[in-house]
């Protein structure tokens, strides 16, 4: 049996907990992928508020769920091989931590490790409007090789419902870490007038 590929999922206190939820739900259906989840305290609050789910319920969707304070966890070390990390949703606070290598919890440490090992990091920031610190922190993450993926819906595609717009973003996030999810959304194939 081949070793599953590992993907770290971080969920923080920005609105948009549903993005993390859908990532976990989709990845659960892919048997060659192993998910490592870490949820911040504010992330757990928003999961409760927006999804009406307990931390334990979201943890149950991952293969391995880590405590945010467990900086000795596997994903805190570059010696633990992963294919990358997606932080969805990503608060401006965690974005700042990632941008400045300020690894004071397992989530920001795992992102720091992902960047230092030159692995794929996809950050899904959610805030509007943006101040200069937010913009500079996105630039810093980009300069370090991370991908900043604001979850902005595309209104030109086939997606029409909120659920479809969310899945389109989730499908594109997964595409950025090399996971093709046929059926999650309809890729653009040019205007058909
Ligand atoms: C309901 C709710 C919605 C929030 N939405 C956002 C948001 O969209 N973007 C953001 O940067 N912070 C948002 N926050 C604030 C963050 O949760 C807060 O800055 C927190 O300290 C982030 O910590 P974390 O990055 O460790 O999760 C929100 C907070 C609450 C309670």
């Amino acid at each position: 049996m081949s070793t599953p590929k590992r993907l770290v999922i971080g969920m923080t206190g920005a609105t948009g907990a549903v993005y993390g939820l859908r990532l976990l739900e989709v990845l659960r259906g892919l048997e060659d992928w192993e998910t490592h989840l870490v949820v911040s305290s504010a992330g757990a609050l928003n999961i409760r508020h927006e999804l009406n789910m307990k931390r334990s319920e979201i943890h149950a969707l991952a293969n391995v769920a880590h405590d945010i304070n467990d900086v000795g966890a596997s994903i805190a070390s570059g010696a633990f091989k992963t294919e990358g990390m997606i932080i969805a949703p990503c608060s401006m606070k965690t974005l700042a931590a990632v941008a400045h290598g300020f690894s004071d919890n397992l989530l920001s440490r795992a992102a720091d490790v992902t960047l230092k090992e030159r692995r794929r990091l996809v950050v899904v920031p959610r805030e509007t409007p943006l101040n200069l610190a937010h913009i500079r922190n996105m630039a810093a993450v980009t300069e370090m090789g991370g991908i900043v993926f604001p979850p902005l819906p595309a209104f030109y595609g086939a997606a029409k419902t909120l659920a479809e717009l969310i899945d389109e973003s989730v499908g594109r996030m997964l595409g950025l870490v090399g996971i093709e999810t046929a059926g999650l959304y309809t890729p653009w194939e040019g205007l058909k007038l």
Side-chain angles (χ1 to χ4, degrees), residues 8-81:
V8 182
I9 302 291
M11 293 179 69
T12 75
T15 184
V18 67
Y19 290 107
L21 171 66
R22 285 297 292 141
L23 282 170
L24 290 166
E25 285 177 344
V26 172
L27 286 159
R28 249 170 96 82
L30 306 177
E31 59 183 30
D32 48 341
W33 283 88
E34 178 180 291
T35 50
H36 286 253
L37 173 66
V38 54
V39 180
S40 72
S41 305
L45 268 183
N46 268 9
I47 286 164
R48 192 66 195 237
H49 178 66
E50 296 180 354
L51 304 174
N52 197 24
M53 289 176 78
K54 295 185 194 138
R55 187 194 281 264
S56 56
E57 291 173 291
I58 204 98
H59 276 188
L61 296 173
N63 295 103
V64 183
H66 300 277
D67 187 300
I68 185 76
N69 296 310
D70 185 8
V71 288
S74 55
I75 57 171
S77 170
F80 185 74
K81 296 277 180 288

Side-chain angles (χ1 to χ4, degrees), residues 12-15 40 42-43 46 49 90-94 105 126-127:
T12 75
T15 184
S40 72
N46 268 9
H49 178 66
C90 183
S91 72
M92 295 302 104
K93 181 206 142 194
T94 292
N105 65 39
R126 213 302 322 181
E127 189 50 275

Side-chain angles (χ1 to χ4, degrees), residues 5 34 75 93 113 118 144 163 169 179 188 192:
K5 289 181 274 190
E34 178 180 291
I75 57 171
K93 181 206 142 194
V113 165
R118 307 300 195 266
M144 287 187 282
S169 286
I179 302 175
W188 178 248
K192 294 187 180 67

Side-chain angles (χ1 to χ4, degrees), residues 86 120 169-181 185:
I86 304 177
R120 186 54 67 92
S169 286
V170 167
R172 291 180 63 180
M173 287 170 211
L174 288 169
L176 289 171
V177 291
I179 302 175
E180 293 312 324
T181 49
Y185 73 101

